[in-house]
Amino acid sequence: MPRVLIQNANVSAAPPPQRQKSFYFKVQNFRDLTTRKGHFVETPVFSCNGHQWALAIYPGGTDEADDGYVSIGLTHRSEGRISANYEFMILDKFGNKRKGLQSSINHIFEGMGNGNGFKNFIKRSKILNESQNILDTDGTLTVGVSMKEEEPSDVFVPKNPFQKIVLKDMFLNEDTADVCFEVCCAEAKEAEQKRAKASELFHAHSQILKTGAPMLANLFDFEDNDGNVATTTISDIKPDIFRHLLYYVYGGSVAEADLKTHAKAIIDAADKYSIVNLKLEAEAAYVKSTKITMDNVMDNLLYADAKNCALLKETVMNFLAENSSDAAEKISFTDFPADVVKDLLVAVSRNGKKEASGTTTDELTTLSVNALRRKLDEKGLDIDGSREAMIESIKNNS
């Protein structure tokens, strides 16, 4: 028979189901627990919607429960105020839901220890009835709670405008500046006639430089300027790279495409003037965009060693550890820096552990550069340096 569309049926789109997060707990030897009213067991604390929670299970019910009932409550274990919609569940030994009760409204939990639940959740006799298959063979009861995950607030809160103000009103503002960089390439310095075309002036503010780039600030002699704008010349950085450097000092960011295109030039400049975070950003961009090969591995190693780029050095070492046979045959190690031998051994060790049984170690000597930098940042310590320097700094400040 041909299919026939029912014309008078009303079918509408349904809203997507609410996102729920479920937690399950096993109560051991439930049948042997006391049934005195008001006596309860508490589950381990769990997290949902940024707050801490726990379940309170009363085998004999709360003081307000009817005789013979088990009570369950949800207890708020965080400070502050939050609303929550939840469902309690009892699972049988096969994992099927045998009982479930859901809060009819979002309950408001006020402060630490505030709770809400069902005093007459389920009859204890039903749980103990073997024909119901609720308890495991060892008398374990499985209890669950499912909570609605709240959507992040979409309330618009504008960001702190100070950064925009600094970039808009102060960056390269000649009227308010008290220092000026004349940036020109080396060729222009040698050929005076090209200076007008190859140099560029960058006005800046000494207080910002002293805070964000002290080494740039130290290029000026503020005692002999007689209140005039202090000037200095930089001849080893191209003007477009210096603009990125200064813009970053003023709180701006360098576009990913520019970091990728000018990675080495930015690393060189940021390293020379100790603008650490910009150097690390450019290093990360270089590592991400560069494929290490047998042809370029030694060049990258020597560059990483010269500029103290720990992440790039680690990437090179990992490549050598993973391709040790080919490297031994195809690469000349005549110029291999003696001070990086330990880094190579660490890479071999980490590579071996990864390929073995999955054993992990918390020893600082085998942590990745990213992990070491994260530890240093958490402690408020300098994150630029060799692996050895980072490890030593963590040890000295533990």
Side-chain angles (χ1 to χ4, degrees):
M1 295 180 63
R3 297 188 304 154
V4 179
L5 177 66
I6 301 175
Q7 298 294 335
N8 59 351
N10 185 8
V11 181
S12 60
Q18 295 177 337
R19 293 188 303 169
Q20 299 288 129
K21 194 170 184 179
S22 298
F23 306 86
Y24 299 96
F25 306 95
K26 291 186 177 296
V27 183
Q28 308 290 335
N29 302 315
F30 178 82
R31 67 171 67 252
D32 298 327
L33 297 177
T34 180
T35 57
R36 291 183 60 184
K37 285 192 173 184
H39 288 238
F40 66 95
V41 295
E42 190 170 61
T43 68
V45 173
F46 57 94
S47 299
C48 188
N49 295 326
H51 284 242
Q52 303 290 309
W53 309 88
L55 293 185
I57 304 163
Y58 298 77
T62 62
D63 292 338
E64 298 81 14
D66 294 340
D67 291 343
Y69 275 90
V70 174
S71 305
I72 298 184
L74 178 64
T75 306
H76 187 219
R77 289 298 180 194
S78 295
E79 299 291 347
R81 183 176 187 269
I82 186 175
S83 64
N85 183 281
Y86 58 88
E87 179 187 12
F88 295 136
M89 297 166 285
I90 294 289
L91 305 185
D92 63 22
K93 63 182 180 182
F94 305 113
N96 302 312
K97 183 166 75 172
R98 298 300 302 273
K99 176 71 175 182
L101 281 179
Q102 183 171 357
S103 56
S104 57
I105 59 173
N106 273 14
H107 181 77
I108 304 297
F109 291 83
E110 298 275 4
M112 176 76 73
N114 186 243
N116 188 253
F118 297 97
K119 61 182 182 180
N120 296 328
F121 180 67
I122 187 174
K123 278 188 170 294
R124 178 180 170 83
S125 59
K126 183 175 182 179
I127 294 176
L128 300 181
N129 190 335
E130 293 185 0
S131 66
Q132 297 293 322
N133 291 316
I134 292 179
L135 295 181
D136 285 351
T137 54
D138 60 357
T140 298
L141 174 67
T142 302
V143 180
V145 59
S146 181
M147 300 181 68
K148 176 187 174 184
E149 286 193 285
E150 300 294 340
E151 295 289 343
S153 172
D154 59 355
V155 177
F156 173 72
V157 178
K159 295 181 178 180
N160 188 331
F162 182 73
Q163 182 185 36
K164 289 184 178 179
I165 292 173
V166 170
L167 289 172
K168 179 181 178 182
D169 297 342
M170 300 185 70
F171 181 62
L172 302 182
N173 188 325
E174 185 174 351
D175 295 333
T176 61
D178 59 351
V179 297
C180 180
F181 298 92
E182 183 180 10
V183 182
C184 58
C185 60
E187 307 90 76
K189 189 175 181 180
E190 296 173 0
E192 187 66 27
Q193 66 273 19
K194 297 181 181 179
R195 177 178 291 275
K197 295 181 179 179
S199 66
E200 188 172 342
L201 299 180
F202 294 87
H203 289 84
H205 303 79
S206 60
Q207 289 302 318
I208 290 180
L209 295 178
K210 289 177 181 178
T211 301
M215 292 187 67
L216 286 177
N218 291 338
L219 296 177
F220 297 95
D221 184 357
F222 295 103
E223 295 182 358
D224 297 332
N225 65 347
D226 296 326
N228 297 318
V229 174
T231 61
T232 191
T233 300
I234 293 179
S235 59
D236 55 356
I237 302 177
K238 292 182 178 180
D240 58 337
I241 301 302
F242 188 81
R243 175 181 288 271
H244 287 313
L245 203 72
L246 194 61
Y247 189 72
Y248 191 89
V249 171
Y250 272 72
S253 58
V254 181
E256 186 175 349
D258 289 327
L259 283 173
K260 179 180 178 180
T261 303
H262 306 293
K264 279 192 172 181
I266 293 175
I267 290 173
D268 293 345
D271 181 64
K272 178 171 182 177
Y273 293 107
S274 195
I275 303 175
V276 173
N277 283 28
L278 179 58
K279 173 188 172 182
L280 300 187
E281 285 189 31
E283 180 193 15
Y286 182 78
V287 168
K288 183 178 179 180
S289 61
T290 302
K291 182 179 180 180
I292 305 299
T293 66
M294 293 295 173
D295 294 329
N296 67 20
V297 63
M298 285 304 298
D299 288 339
N300 279 298
L301 174 59
L302 294 173
Y303 180 75
D305 189 51
K307 297 300 178 181
N308 211 6
C309 293
L311 182 64
L312 176 58
K313 187 186 294 186
E314 180 182 70
T315 303
V316 172
M317 293 304 175
N318 288 340
F319 175 85
L320 291 173
E322 293 168 3
N323 301 274
S324 56
S325 297
D326 287 344
E329 179 181 345
K330 299 178 180 179
I331 298 176
S332 171
F333 288 88
T334 304
D335 298 325
F336 193 83
D339 60 298
V340 301
V341 172
K342 185 174 180 179
D343 294 277
L344 179 58
L345 293 176
V346 169
V348 171
S349 174
R350 293 179 66 240
N351 190 55
K353 285 183 171 64
K354 178 175 65 176
E355 292 176 352
S357 59
T359 303
T360 60
T361 175
D362 291 330
E363 295 179 2
L364 292 175
T365 53
T366 56
L367 285 181
S368 68
V369 168
N370 276 329
L372 290 171
R373 285 177 175 173
R374 186 173 290 110
K375 284 182 175 291
L376 289 167
D377 186 61
E378 290 171 353
K379 294 176 179 290
L381 302 173
D382 185 8
I383 60 176
D384 187 27
S386 65
R387 170 184 290 278
E388 290 79 5
M390 288 190 284
I391 292 173
E392 190 65 23
S393 180
I394 294 172
K395 287 180 178 179
N396 292 339
N397 290 275
S398 296

